[in-house]
Amino acid sequence: MEMNTFDCKLPNDKGYFGEYGGSFIPPQLQEIMDEITTSYKEIRQNPEFIQELGELYKHYVGRPSPIFYAKNLSKKYGADIYLKREDLNHTGAHKINHCLGEALLAKKMGKKKLIAETGAGQHGVALATAAALVGLECDIYMGEVDIKKEYPNVIRMKILGAKVIPVSHGRKTLKEAVDGAFEGYMGDPITQFYAIGSVVGPHPFPMMVRDFQSIVGNEAKVQFKEMRGELPQNIIACVGGGSNALGIFTAFLEDESVALHGVEPAGKGIEVDGEHAATMTKGTVGVMHGFKSYMLADEAGEPQEVYSVASGLDYPSVGPQHSYLKDTNRVNYAIANDTETIEAFFELSRLEGIIPAIESAHAIAYAMKFAQGEGKGSTILINLSGRGDKDIDFVAENYGAQYGIE
Ligand SMILES: *Cc1c(COP(=O)(O)O)cnc(C)c1O
């Protein structure tokens, strides 16, 4: 793989990673984003904040998450496969890492309420958890269709003390929830803090969420060296907005011996628009949701409908740093489709006794392909971004007969 020169100290002061990122928002909101940037830059140097967040990571989230050598999977597929166990975190995924960071920052800035949209409810639950802990109100905007579909997460958010605000226009799913949350935010951007759920949105969010997630790779680097005496040859992570991937990649960006692989959801196939969410594989460059990046857009420049069997991956854009890492060839972006992903979901469950989130199963699926081909005999570290408890009903209903669950 040819590696162009790239700068891993990015973004610049305006929030750009090469040509990607920035901030495309109304002037009134820009002032507030600038305040958030200033506060964040202060706080990330502040030893008190660093210690407070570090203690929460340790005693509340359960960090460091272990690395597990998946011996049975390794033997069957022909490479040494390791899992970074973000599925063992409190609330069951990596999202708590940045939700705690954002909640603490909002609290220090004197904000009263965290708001966000949620699709399947995973970001909503992680944020409601952080809000409860830190002592902030929390409004989660959610499409009415998703509220029905993801009812257990709706109940979780309510038990945690958050308000779930139904959004009833359009198709009543994630896209409308984003509109609803944005409108709610514009109503009072002074006392509310819009906690973005991945490395997307206007500056400083792609930088800030990445920084909060980078604990994953920092830990993994030390742990892997302890286990193997060297760095992994390959690291694989799934990419929705891209936060868990940047979480594990960041510590290794300057290590040229480590190949990085991001896996996008190919859904039912990348040939047909609307049946996948492979943004960097199929997208074009444009502006959406306040930032410039690769995106899946229709002819009018509006977000295309996207689809993945993993509801946490069906986003029509991607974090701007990923677009930059794609263009500079530092990361190899690959795909896994629904069928391969469900196969990987069962392989990991039955070979290792670990039920992965369907999102994370995309990374497993690609690792299985890679281990049998180009990556044969190599060391592979996979970011297991979350656990699959949330997915078991869906899998049983849709794939039960095929996999002997009756
Ligand atoms: C939300 C989610 C993702 C996708 O988000 P990224 O920002 O791309 O990491 C991946 N895995 C799990 C378990 C999730 O909950």
Side-chain angles (χ1 to χ4, degrees), residues 49 147 158 209 213 298:
F49 176 83
I147 288 180
K158 289 184 177 174
V209 171
Q213 284 297 342
D298 62 20

Side-chain angles (χ1 to χ4, degrees), residues 93-95 122 197-198 238-245 312-313 357 359-360 385-386:
H94 70 290
K95 285 193 176 78
Q122 294 307 110
S198 187
C238 66
V239 178
S243 66
N244 87 87
L313 298 183
E359 289 81 3
S360 323
S385 56

Side-chain angles (χ1 to χ4, degrees), residues 211-277:
D211 293 349
F212 289 139
Q213 284 297 342
S214 63
I215 179 88
V216 177
N218 290 341
E219 286 173 5
K221 200 166 188 176
V222 175
Q223 291 168 315
F224 199 89
K225 264 192 184 155
E226 254 173 40
M227 293 172 90
R228 291 286 304 222
E230 58 188 12
L231 297 179
Q233 290 169 304
N234 296 285
I235 298 180
I236 300 179
C238 66
V239 178
S243 66
N244 87 87
L246 283 180
I248 197 159
F249 291 168
T250 297
F252 297 91
L253 284 175
E254 284 180 281
D255 298 306
E256 284 183 42
S257 69
V258 182
L260 307 172
H261 310 263
V263 186
E264 298 196 296
K268 294 174 186 153
I270 58 169
E271 297 76 24
V272 183
D273 288 353
E275 303 220 315
H276 65 85

Side-chain angles (χ1 to χ4, degrees), residues 326-345:
K326 171 187 161 69
D327 285 4
T328 52
N329 284 321
R330 177 62 189 94
V331 176
N332 161 43
Y333 291 95
I335 52 173
N337 67 29
D338 286 2
T339 308
E340 296 163 331
T341 296
I342 296 301
E343 181 66 25
F345 173 93

Side-chain angles (χ1 to χ4, degrees), residues 144 167-173 175-177 179-180 183:
E144 276 180 348
V167 178
S168 57
H169 70 276
R171 296 172 63 226
K172 304 175 192 176
T173 61
K175 186 179 170 294
E176 291 77 21
D179 301 339
E183 213 171 287

Side-chain angles (χ1 to χ4, degrees), residues 19-21 24 283-288 291-295 297 301 317:
E19 67 167 299
Y20 304 108
F24 297 80
T284 51
V285 175
V287 172
M288 186 188 290
F291 66 104
K292 184 177 173 189
S293 197
Y294 280 96
M295 58 190 258
S317 185

